[in-house]
Amino acid sequence: MTIDGVSPSTVVRPESIEELAHALASEKGAIVPLGAATQTYFGNPLRRADCALDLTRLSRITEYNPADLTVHVEAGVPLEQLQHALLENNQFLPLDPWNGPRATVGGIAATNAQGPFRATGTIRDWIIGMKVVHVDGQISKAGGRVVKNVTGYDLQKLYTGSLGTLAVIVEVSLKLRAKFQRTATAIARPADESGAAALIASIRNSALQPISCEWTGPENEVLLRFGEHPRAVDWQLKNLPAADWRVLEDADEAAAWEKLRGRYGQLGPLVLRVIGLPATVHEIIKTYRPAAWIAHALNGIVLMQIFDADAIRQIRGKYRAVIEKAPLEVRRKIGTFGLTDTEYELMKKMKEAFDPEGRLNAGRHVDGERN
Amino acid sequence: MKKEIVKKLREILGSPAVIEDETELLVYECDALTLFKSKPDAVVFPRTTEQVAQIVRLANEHRIPFLPRGAGTGLSGGALAVEGGIIIELQRMNRILSIDADNRFAIVQPGVVNLHISQAVAPYGLYYAPDPSSQMACSIGGNVAENSGGPHCLKYGMTTNHILAIEAVTSKGEIIRLGNAAGETVGMDLIGAIVGSEGTFVIVTEITIRLLQKPQWVKTLLAAFHSVEDCSQTVSDIIAAGIVPAALEFVDAKTIEAVEASVYKAGYPQDAAAALLIEVDGFREGLEETSNAIVEICRRNRSYDVRVAKDDEERARLWLGRKGAFGAMGRISPDMITMDAVIPRTRLPEVLAEIARMSDRYGLAVANVFHAGDGNLHPLILFDGRRQDQVEKIHRMGEEIVKLCVDVGGALSGEHGIGYEKKEFMNLVFSESDLEIMMRVKRVFNPDGLLNPSKIFPTRRACTEIGKHTTTSTAEIGKRVEEVLRGSAR
């Protein structure tokens, strides 16, 4: 296995949290925690790797309480395994990250992986507690096992999106949601960009509340997904703004979203996540003319395929933007997150507080952001 | 406090914005948790972020502890000046700076009253979702510090789910900005760590909040039960049926007695052992069916009276009773302690039965009014503060209730925070290791511990903290000695 041109000399596959803690306590080199390895392209270039810590054997659902709408899982549980278990009680974790069903819960948390389903937030909004192992083998937890909790600092939020550079996430407690009684997807293909922009504007100003609203380009396809009480779904379908809508349900609907995921896979090699506002999505597309894009149109976020590192610098002059995917040579030249000075300083101090020798995923996050 | 420091504070803020008169300071010796009292040395009323930063820098220079305070409605002693020092009262920073209806966010100052936000954005068909019971008085800055909840966070989440960006003054007096109006996390979720840090990380001076579209339709129901068990079972059954109510609130007989005797009189059935206030919202289509399904579940659990509010007026009255319940307790008891613990909601019946047994054992009445949908209990222990025997008992009983909740897999606090009140209980849920890691993060934000000291961490640990510092360098020892002396010098 090679990540960013670096190959770990040893791979450890612990079967339990204690075993993992023990392995970390005795390891003195650079450590790379890994889930299903579906997103190893994300982040600043990995600098060193002596030991890969494979978490896929930590794959137990340790406790599931359907009546409490909570589940506690080890970090290596794949999303599809979790969703499958939850389905038995008509429940689910309302997330559909681009990196797919094979991705592990720990990996999704560590990378803050996202997808089109954003109406109820991202994984940070569903995590209620976490257990982590620190670089010296110390085990600690934050949050708890109940759906509402303000006991102690919300460190689980800090670990989410930290790319395993503060500590290794080993157990995650999640709150859940009842499955929608019905979902349906409406797809339209306006003639041009302005048509798509106008359509999205009228959706934003309507009473509709889609759980996903994606605008893909350059083909200008608009995908809306609704999930609610069956009658509320019907009402929304009946009240769509005028366009040539195609309504999909069941297997056809699932196929359409799987196709969009494929579309995300094809974006590249350089993809930037540009953070604007719902009302500025069209402006962003018009200004930077990406070769292809997927916009979370109601969230003001555009994932766009761009040409080179210069374009990243140009865009960052006006918008916050995270490198979603990029070849190693680009990531060597320009930081993944484009942090402000304040963020950089705070995150650097945080990294030093947790991992002073910089051995956890060396170079991946703030420690590789500015060279 | 030294005259020279008061003079400098007056230079920063102008004379009337600094209080140091002993009698005037009495108002600030506690927040809404009146059990613990400690007087600050001064209270200041800044109007700008720059003034807050200057005050913090001055406090750092003289190594004086300082802490932010909002409306003082907190229930865990978060705004208690445990070590004296300066209270930075943010109530005069109370402007709504901008409303972006198109992109559904607003930028507000920390002193803005929670409810005023929803009132200001109502013309756009928008609202701010988290609605603590004190929303008529509590400030948004305080909500951010405590990660406040409220009845509707069952469906819409806590404060942390609605904060997009902040401006803050660090413990050293620097002004920083974090986040973006899209609410998209870039790198580590620093805002997620700051919200709910109880004013021990930074002082938040400007907040960008998410606004939501008002639901098309709302239905509010009140179901009365002759037994607490049936009432609790109904809660579990509604959740198990896959219904996501906007709110699911429990009131017991004692609470109903108090509410009905007060100005918050809501027409709650006075012969009920317990009642549920249930709200569903969303699209008008389908809501009737959901509401009917809930009525059916209530009846199946032997509810003898299910009432669906006919109009907004009746809805408002039902909510008035719930939101005024804490205040109404004054009708039946001179004093009370508001507890706040969370349990897995399936354990409600056994925990409530055990609390009832404790109430008998201690001879202290307990009223239960709480967010049943997310298992967030609020046992209100009623007592007479003039009776020393009762005051002693409430502490022991409170501790027993907390332990009971922790034993069934719960948490110390669902929305009020740990503050000063519950810090000694932290060892019940967190190991030394857990607390040490939290302390590390605190030190990143608040390295000298001058910002809101003596909160959250058990005292035993605070000593260890000083011990650790003294081994690092002689300069540190000097600083620490000064801090210890500070107490006696006052």
Side-chain angles (χ1 to χ4, degrees):
Chain A
M1 181 202 356
T2 304
I3 300 166
D4 292 344
V6 183
S7 302
S9 42
T10 57
V11 179
V12 180
R13 293 194 178 82
E15 306 257 355
S16 70
I17 291 167
E18 291 66 33
E19 203 182 306
L20 185 149
H22 194 255
L24 275 185
S26 54
E27 175 62 53
K28 299 293 167 229
I31 298 145
V32 181
L34 283 172
T38 57
Q39 277 205 111
T40 50
Y41 54 82
F42 182 69
N44 290 308
L46 186 66
R47 282 200 191 122
R48 290 178 293 135
D50 298 305
C51 170
L53 199 57
D54 179 337
L55 281 96
T56 51
R57 287 192 188 164
L58 289 179
S59 58
R60 281 162 289 247
I61 295 178
T62 49
E63 197 183 329
Y64 173 28
N65 306 309
D68 290 322
L69 281 169
T70 57
V71 71
H72 315 279
V73 302
E74 289 181 336
V77 170
L79 183 60
E80 65 185 337
Q81 180 192 332
L82 173 62
Q83 301 286 34
H84 186 76
L86 303 178
L87 200 56
E88 276 182 35
N89 294 288
N90 243 338
Q91 296 175 348
F92 78 133
L93 180 66
L95 297 172
D96 58 355
W98 296 117
N99 50 330
R102 249 184 2 101
T104 62
V105 173
I108 294 168
T111 57
N112 185 20
Q114 307 172 1
F117 188 174
R118 302 179 53 101
T120 49
T122 53
I123 193 157
R124 73 168 315 261
D125 300 299
W126 295 95
I127 295 176
I128 54 175
M130 220 180 241
K131 189 181 273 183
V132 298
V133 178
H134 298 271
V135 69
D136 58 358
Q138 187 181 348
I139 300 173
S140 79
K141 66 174 190 300
R145 299 169 83 80
V146 285
V147 296
K148 187 180 182 190
N149 189 358
V150 295
T151 314
Y153 297 138
D154 258 3
L155 300 191
Q156 65 275 18
K157 296 231 163 49
L158 208 51
Y159 301 134
T160 303
S162 70
L163 283 176
T165 59
L166 297 181
V168 180
I169 298 168
V170 292
E171 203 173 83
V172 183
S173 296
L174 296 152
K175 56 179 183 175
L176 306 167
R177 201 193 182 287
K179 265 206 90 99
F180 293 118
Q181 293 178 46
R182 182 182 160 203
T183 64
T185 295
I187 302 177
R189 243 189 215 223
D192 55 22
E193 214 178 279
S194 311
L199 187 57
I200 283 163
S202 53
I203 293 160
R204 272 199 301 118
N205 297 315
S206 73
L208 304 180
Q209 295 200 348
I211 55 175
S212 300
C213 172
E214 306 291 293
W215 169 12
T216 71
E219 67 275 21
N220 288 312
E221 193 163 76
V222 176
L223 295 92
L224 295 180
R225 191 174 206 176
F226 300 103
E228 265 280 355
H229 191 278
R231 289 192 49 190
V233 172
D234 279 337
W235 183 86
Q236 293 187 86
L237 291 173
K238 260 183 239 146
N239 286 281
L240 288 168
D244 193 8
W245 294 103
R246 203 155 46 95
V247 174
L248 303 177
E249 290 188 68
D250 306 318
D252 291 342
E253 184 187 23
W257 289 97
E258 194 52 30
K259 194 176 140 213
L260 182 71
R261 200 164 76 79
R263 186 85 181 71
Y264 174 83
Q266 287 155 10
L267 288 184
L270 216 173
V271 182
L272 199 59
R273 189 195 316 159
V274 182
I275 304 163
L277 288 168
T280 59
V281 166
H282 189 210
E283 179 67 29
I284 291 168
I285 292 166
K286 266 199 304 198
T287 310
Y288 302 108
R289 310 261 31 116
W293 70 84
I294 300 174
H296 304 307
L298 296 187
N299 302 91
I301 292 162
V302 190
L303 308 171
M304 53 197 218
Q305 182 177 317
I306 52 166
F307 303 103
D308 51 30
D310 287 342
I312 302 175
R313 291 196 186 94
Q314 192 202 345
I315 294 165
R316 280 186 180 164
K318 182 144 186 217
Y319 297 98
R320 302 301 306 274
V322 177
I323 298 174
E324 187 91 4
K325 306 179 192 174
L328 184 57
E329 58 274 21
V330 174
R331 286 186 289 127
R332 277 197 178 128
K333 272 193 277 185
I334 186 160
T336 289
F337 299 102
L339 301 175
T340 63
D341 291 346
T342 298
E343 289 168 344
Y344 179 76
E345 291 304 326
L346 269 173
M347 289 178 200
K348 205 160 73 114
K349 280 189 204 155
M350 206 60 82
K351 171 73 177 169
E352 279 158 12
F354 279 88
D355 177 24
E357 293 168 6
R359 293 196 288 119
L360 285 175
N361 245 347
R364 263 290 194 230
H365 203 283
V366 62
D367 50 344
E369 184 72 9
R370 293 179 181 183
N371 297 308
Chain B
M1 179 173 283
K2 285 189 204 144
K3 286 286 162 234
E4 152 210 3
I5 297 167
V6 175
K7 189 168 160 266
K8 280 191 180 152
L9 286 171
R10 293 212 154 112
E11 274 166 25
I12 298 169
L13 297 162
S15 204
V18 181
I19 289 180
E20 51 137 5
D21 177 87
E22 291 291 319
T23 338
E24 284 182 80
L25 288 175
L26 278 178
V27 179
Y28 297 92
E29 66 177 1
C30 65
D31 53 18
L33 175 78
T34 53
L35 205 62
F36 303 101
K37 288 184 172 128
S38 175
K39 222 165 25 171
D41 297 309
V43 181
V44 296
F45 299 82
R47 287 187 185 273
T48 68
T49 303
E50 185 47 46
Q51 287 177 341
V52 175
Q54 284 180 37
I55 297 159
V56 170
R57 287 198 292 266
L58 182 72
N60 268 275
E61 220 176 283
H62 297 274
R63 310 214 52 82
I64 300 165
F66 56 95
L67 63 151
R69 188 182 197 267
T73 55
L75 287 162
S76 59
L80 184 72
V82 183
E83 302 183 14
I86 304 169
I87 286 186
I88 302 176
E89 170 57 72
L90 297 159
Q91 266 185 315
R92 290 189 192 165
M93 291 178 71
N94 61 354
R95 282 182 303 137
I96 295 176
L97 299 172
S98 67
I99 297 167
D100 185 335
D102 210 13
N103 292 303
R104 293 184 193 157
F105 70 84
I107 303 177
V108 301
Q109 290 189 317
V112 173
V113 171
N114 173 300
L115 187 64
H116 294 176
I117 300 170
S118 288
Q119 285 168 348
V121 301
Y124 306 98
L126 302 172
Y127 77 112
Y128 174 68
D131 60 338
S133 295
S134 57
Q135 72 179 140
M136 278 99 85
C138 67
S139 71
I140 187 76
N143 292 174
V144 170
E146 300 297 324
N147 188 14
S148 305
H152 288 87
C153 60
L154 175 60
K155 181 173 177 181
Y156 295 101
M158 313 266 293
T159 302
T160 188
N161 307 105
H162 300 270
I163 303 303
L164 307 171
I166 57 169
E167 175 199 74
V169 172
T170 67
S171 66
K172 296 284 192 184
E174 276 176 80
I175 299 170
I176 60 168
R177 289 189 163 273
L178 295 169
N180 51 74
E184 182 77 350
T185 304
V186 177
M188 296 170 199
D189 188 357
L190 296 171
I191 294 182
I194 289 171
V195 177
S197 61
E198 306 193 19
T200 65
F201 283 3
V202 294
I203 299 177
V204 174
T205 48
E206 189 185 291
I207 307 147
T208 305
I209 54 168
R210 188 195 307 281
L211 301 173
L212 299 184
Q213 215 173 350
K214 269 200 234 167
Q216 225 177 40
W217 209 249
V218 181
K219 271 195 173 291
T220 308
L221 298 81
L222 186 78
F225 298 84
H226 285 308
S227 99
V228 170
E229 286 70 27
D230 286 343
C231 189
S232 308
Q233 189 57 43
T234 306
V235 173
S236 291
D237 289 355
I238 290 171
I239 300 292
I243 296 167
V244 188
L248 187 44
E249 301 284 304
F250 183 108
V251 284
D252 71 356
K254 200 92 203 155
T255 308
I256 293 173
E257 181 196 332
V259 167
E260 291 306 310
S262 77
V263 292
Y264 305 107
K265 188 171 167 56
Y268 291 167
Q270 298 195 54
D271 53 346
L276 286 178
L277 180 62
I278 310 162
E279 189 158 279
V280 284
D281 66 11
F283 289 97
R284 186 171 183 170
E285 292 288 329
L287 209 61
E288 189 71 41
E289 286 85 342
T290 306
S291 161
N292 289 344
I294 290 172
V295 172
E296 180 53 36
I297 292 169
C298 292
R299 295 237 163 88
R300 214 185 308 137
N301 284 298
R302 291 169 290 280
S303 170
Y304 68 92
D305 181 15
V306 192
R307 205 185 306 163
V308 182
K310 285 181 293 293
D311 49 30
D312 278 354
E313 199 192 310
E314 195 178 348
R315 263 195 68 219
R317 204 168 55 244
L318 290 178
W319 273 112
L320 181 71
R322 167 61 186 91
K323 294 211 171 178
F326 289 10
M329 291 302 155
R331 300 297 302 184
I332 58 168
S333 171
D335 294 288
M336 70 161 178
I337 281 237
T338 308
M339 306 221 20
D340 168 45
V342 192
I343 56 166
R345 69 198 121 211
T346 44
R347 312 295 291 268
L348 272 177
E350 58 182 295
V351 170
L352 289 178
E354 188 54 41
I355 290 175
R357 280 194 287 274
M358 275 184 217
S359 168
D360 289 343
R361 189 146 43 80
Y362 281 94
L364 289 170
V366 174
N368 284 293
V369 46
F370 59 92
H371 314 304
D374 33 36
N376 187 183
L377 297 182
H378 289 315
L380 310 178
I381 309 177
L382 309 177
F383 68 104
D384 185 341
R386 291 161 301 188
R387 287 183 53 186
Q388 194 50 38
D389 60 319
Q390 290 200 347
V391 175
E392 274 158 28
K393 277 197 284 189
I394 51 165
H395 285 290
R396 274 184 287 134
M397 184 171 166
E399 188 168 342
E400 228 182 292
I401 291 177
V402 167
K403 283 186 176 147
L404 168 69
C405 295
V406 170
D407 284 347
V408 300
L412 298 180
S413 175
E415 53 185 13
H416 296 171
I418 301 302
Y420 187 73
E421 183 203 21
K422 290 184 279 283
K423 64 181 192 145
E424 302 303 337
F425 295 137
M426 284 289 272
N427 289 321
L428 294 176
V429 284
F430 290 117
S431 69
E432 284 295 307
S433 227
D434 303 338
L435 292 170
E436 193 263 320
I437 298 296
M438 286 184 194
M439 185 56 88
R440 266 193 230 178
V441 175
K442 179 183 165 181
R443 279 198 210 108
V444 167
F445 287 103
N446 184 7
D448 301 334
L450 286 176
L451 171 55
N452 209 356
S454 298
K455 301 289 165 69
I456 300 176
F457 294 91
T459 312
R460 194 157 51 82
R461 281 204 51 82
C463 298
T464 339
E465 184 194 4
I466 290 172
K468 272 189 184 155
H469 274 280
T470 53
T471 57
T472 52
S473 72
T474 46
E476 281 291 328
I477 295 173
K479 262 199 280 182
R480 292 291 141 185
V481 168
E482 204 181 319
E483 273 180 49
V484 174
L485 289 178
R486 201 176 52 220
S488 52
R490 253 196 330 265

